[in-house]
Amino acid sequence: MSAVLLKSLVLGGLGALVLALMAWPKPELRADTGPAVTVASPSPIQRCMNMGGALEAEWEGYWGYTVRREDLETLAATGFDTIRLPVRVSAYTGTAPPYTISADLLARMDEIVGWATGLGLNIILDVHHYEALMETPGIELPRLEAIWDQLAAHYAGAPDTVMFEIINEPFGEMTPQLTNRTNEAILRRIRTTNPDRWVILGTPLWGGLDGMLKLDPPEDKRVIAGFHYYIPFDFTHQGATWMEDAPPRGAVWGTFADEKALQADFGKAAAWQRRTGVPILVGEFGVLRSVDPAQRGPWTRAVREASERNGMGWCYWDWGTEFAAWDQQQNDWVEPVRAALLDTAP
């Protein structure tokens, strides 16, 4: 037992103990150092921003954000290479065969794709918030297949910088086993018109690390796996207004135990990446904007640096809404989130 810890126990009180633990030197996060396996093809995604709160809402703008070309210009100018565009495609798709996607939605997606490719950005087209699929996959899977048949045909001639993400955060009846089968089936359909396009697999169990570890990725040189990281959830989602039982405000992050837990999680992911040879994207991570910025910054930097040290691309959630990196009212970056994502540690 260290002298610092002993002193805290003598003084008594949980507060003294927590302060003592936080005073311990933080461990350096290192990449997992097991046997190396070269990934099939290195991922083109390194620094990515989620354009959340726009097209995955019931309609664009309903959640307080509409994608603007000037936002993409800012991202390209500050060193981002990719944007992820979550789209609630199911809300714009017929409910009976042939399950036609709205021409208006495709036109809007085309506009944003054009902005991104014109600015030299990769763009991930992500089928997002398909709740009916999670509840009744037996009914909805043919519709998902039709959605991807149409999207794949529509973007067959698009540049390689346009990427597909099969389904966001499968849960409920979309079990790990069914998600694996769905990934394989949809990828096979996409490959008939897009033989070399990058495709991001769906990750079960709400897209989390445990779900990724249950993936059985198809043998394909242009697939990316990934996971979403909001751990500890009681910290990242404290006071979330849209949740019935939101974690209470006041949670903090940054103790020795917190750092070790993050290191262990990314070690598991790195081991999976080595074993499978499939590149990983940390496709979402962020802290609610209502949390103290002095707490948001260190957690965000820790996740970003853990991703980079382990050879994983990352995609922050999100640009301008609940987890904002950009203040829409001030039309400027939110500090210290910008620094946590872009600056080199002193």
Side-chain angles (χ1 to χ4, degrees):
M1 182 179 294
S2 73
V4 174
L5 181 56
L6 181 59
K7 181 179 180 182
S8 71
L9 293 173
V10 170
L11 290 173
L14 180 59
L17 176 58
V18 170
L19 290 173
L21 290 172
M22 293 182 72
W24 284 11
K26 294 182 179 179
E28 181 181 356
L29 298 182
R30 297 181 180 275
D32 189 286
T33 56
V37 173
T38 302
V39 296
S41 297
S43 169
I45 307 167
Q46 299 302 314
R47 290 181 170 184
C48 171
M49 179 65 69
N50 277 283
M51 312 311 291
L55 283 171
E56 93 269 18
E58 284 82 350
W59 62 85
E60 189 176 10
Y62 181 56
W63 289 354
Y65 177 62
T66 298
V67 179
R68 307 177 302 175
R69 179 186 172 88
E70 63 194 76
D71 297 330
L72 275 58
E73 291 172 347
T74 297
L75 289 165
T78 49
F80 284 81
D81 54 54
T82 306
I83 63 167
R84 181 173 180 251
L85 185 67
V87 185
R88 193 186 291 242
V89 183
S90 58
Y92 298 85
T93 301
T95 56
Y99 305 111
T100 303
I101 300 173
S102 162
D104 290 342
L105 176 66
L106 289 174
R108 177 58 172 150
M109 291 172 67
D110 288 348
E111 182 177 38
I112 299 171
V113 166
W115 293 343
T117 56
L119 291 166
L121 291 167
N122 304 315
I123 179 169
I124 302 165
L125 303 180
D126 158 45
V127 174
H128 208 93
H129 282 321
Y130 194 167
E131 286 92 348
L133 176 67
M134 314 308 164
E135 297 171 359
T136 55
I139 295 172
E140 296 294 332
L141 279 171
R143 192 164 173 242
L144 179 66
E145 292 175 348
I147 285 171
W148 274 114
D149 287 348
Q150 293 171 78
L151 291 177
H154 187 79
Y155 290 107
D160 289 345
T161 53
V162 177
M163 308 175 192
F164 297 155
E165 183 170 347
I166 291 173
I167 187 68
N168 180 71
E169 295 186 352
F171 67 94
E173 296 302 313
M174 283 294 293
T175 63
Q177 294 79 11
L178 184 53
T179 299
N180 277 317
R181 295 198 297 271
T182 300
N183 280 332
E184 186 173 0
I186 297 297
L187 180 64
R188 188 165 52 246
R189 301 176 83 95
I190 290 171
R191 287 290 178 247
T192 64
T193 51
N194 294 260
D196 299 313
R197 190 168 303 284
W198 282 101
V199 176
I200 299 172
L201 304 174
T203 298
L205 303 180
W206 290 94
L209 175 59
D210 288 345
M212 191 195 73
L213 298 179
K214 293 180 181 296
L215 280 179
D216 183 13
E219 291 189 10
D220 189 292
K221 294 181 180 180
R222 287 291 185 99
V223 296
I224 297 171
F227 63 99
H228 298 172
Y229 197 78
Y230 293 102
I231 298 172
F233 189 82
D234 286 352
F235 169 72
T236 62
H237 284 66
Q238 57 185 285
T241 57
W242 68 90
M243 295 176 62
E244 291 184 3
D245 297 313
R249 297 183 186 276
V252 297
W253 183 90
T255 66
F256 180 87
D258 291 336
E259 295 270 7
K260 290 294 288 183
L262 188 150
Q263 181 179 5
D265 286 343
F266 277 81
K268 293 175 186 177
W272 187 93
Q273 184 173 245
R274 288 196 319 275
R275 178 174 60 81
T276 63
V278 175
I280 287 176
L281 171 67
V282 183
E284 293 183 16
F285 67 104
V287 184
L288 275 170
R289 64 183 178 184
S290 58
V291 176
D292 181 356
Q295 285 284 311
R296 291 182 76 195
W299 182 92
T300 301
R301 180 183 291 277
V303 176
R304 166 215 159 184
E305 291 181 347
S307 303
E308 292 174 350
R309 285 174 175 149
N310 286 283
M312 303 169 194
W314 52 261
C315 198
Y316 182 76
W317 186 279
D318 68 295
W319 175 244
T321 59
E322 291 297 326
F323 294 76
W326 183 263
D327 187 321
Q328 293 191 69
Q329 282 67 48
Q330 299 297 322
N331 205 35
D332 201 357
W333 287 97
V334 174
E335 293 289 359
V337 176
R338 182 211 60 79
L341 293 173
L342 296 172
D343 289 357
T344 301

